[in-house]
Amino acid sequence: MHKIIQLGPVRFIKERFMRKSFNLMTKKSMNIFVRGKDIGSVRPQIFGVHEERLTKFIEVTAQEGNSDFFIDIGANVGLSSCQNGSSFSKVICFEPNPLAANILKTNLSICLPESSYEVCEFALGEEDGSFDLYIPKHNWGGAFIKHDNQYPEDLLYKKDGFDAFDPKNYTVSNIKVKASKNVFSNIFSTLIEENLKKGVIKIDAEGYEELIISS
């Protein structure tokens, strides 16, 4: 049996005002799932776009004839791939954070045809391995691997607004890392077979960029 809760007039007016304010502020919100209070969720909800300059750059680059593929390394919940993915024939996302990857797949299914995208739930690095991924509880997009990270340790915690490294600020997940050289060799061989030769690669790997590119 459900208990009916009746709101007093003051609370009713307050909640109605808050709902209208929220609806007004988020009327341009992206049509995807985002995590409330997460750093990366504010602009997509209020302004309807994530990293506007990067989004425009990817859009223009695709329009100039580089629209065969979009490779999103560090896709998080799919903000870039969902905004720009429809401009490309194929979208390949890399996201090792198991929490974000579930939302990524949901958002991609909302925004893109199922046959046009692929999700790789592992990280890229210099070599194959299994390492701990530190996921800031207030910023899933800031997840990082400490092992062989090119960022100094103080930058890894300061970038997320912490004064010191405290494991309590993170959810830790053991993830797979695959050698980028092998992964890219397979991906580009497949793309060439499909006559997909011109595209865009976006990389945001929280200190692993150099390892991924140079391996």
Side-chain angles (χ1 to χ4, degrees), residues 96-140:
N97 178 352
L99 303 177
N102 290 327
I103 303 175
L104 168 64
K105 288 183 285 187
T106 299
N107 286 337
L108 289 171
S109 71
I110 293 172
C111 299
L112 303 175
E114 186 175 355
S115 60
S116 70
Y117 65 84
E118 176 184 350
V119 177
C120 304
E121 296 183 59
F122 55 84
L124 295 170
E126 187 175 21
E127 58 185 358
D128 290 348
S130 179
F131 303 106
D132 285 339
L133 181 72
Y134 290 81
I135 308 165
K137 293 181 179 179
H138 71 303
N139 179 25
W140 281 5

Side-chain angles (χ1 to χ4, degrees), residues 69-86:
F69 62 83
F70 179 56
I71 298 178
D72 191 352
I73 303 172
N76 194 19
V77 298
L79 295 172
S80 292
S81 288
C82 288
Q83 288 179 136
N84 295 113
S86 60

Side-chain angles (χ1 to χ4, degrees), residues 42-198:
V42 178
R43 292 192 64 83
Q45 290 184 92
I46 296 177
F47 301 106
V49 63
H50 171 68
E51 296 186 344
E52 186 171 0
R53 291 182 180 179
L54 175 60
T55 299
K56 187 64 177 178
F57 172 78
I58 296 172
E59 178 186 339
V60 171
T61 304
Q63 291 173 349
E64 291 179 345
N66 303 288
S67 60
D68 288 343
F69 62 83
F70 179 56
I71 298 178
D72 191 352
I73 303 172
N76 194 19
V77 298
L79 295 172
S80 292
S81 288
C82 288
Q83 288 179 136
N84 295 113
S86 60
S87 298
F88 298 88
S89 299
K90 189 166 188 176
V91 176
I92 302 173
C93 297
F94 289 88
E95 181 48 60
N97 178 352
L99 303 177
N102 290 327
I103 303 175
L104 168 64
K105 288 183 285 187
T106 299
N107 286 337
L108 289 171
S109 71
I110 293 172
C111 299
L112 303 175
E114 186 175 355
S115 60
S116 70
Y117 65 84
E118 176 184 350
V119 177
C120 304
E121 296 183 59
F122 55 84
L124 295 170
E126 187 175 21
E127 58 185 358
D128 290 348
S130 179
F131 303 106
D132 285 339
L133 181 72
Y134 290 81
I135 308 165
K137 293 181 179 179
H138 71 303
N139 179 25
W140 281 5
F144 61 88
I145 301 170
K146 290 182 68 176
H147 177 80
D148 283 342
N149 199 296
Q150 302 299 294
Y151 288 173
E153 183 170 305
D154 62 337
L155 179 58
L156 287 173
Y157 59 75
K158 286 181 179 179
K159 71 181 179 64
D160 293 309
F162 301 126
D163 295 325
F165 182 78
D166 185 348
K168 293 180 181 179
N169 293 324
Y170 305 89
T171 299
V172 182
S173 179
N174 191 259
I175 62 163
K176 289 183 179 180
V177 175
K178 295 187 179 182
S180 59
K181 180 179 181 179
N182 298 332
V183 173
F184 285 137
S185 177
N186 292 332
I187 285 177
F188 287 119
S189 293
T190 301
L191 290 173
I192 290 172
E193 289 176 0
E194 297 174 358
N195 199 32
L196 302 175
K197 300 178 181 180
K198 295 182 179 181

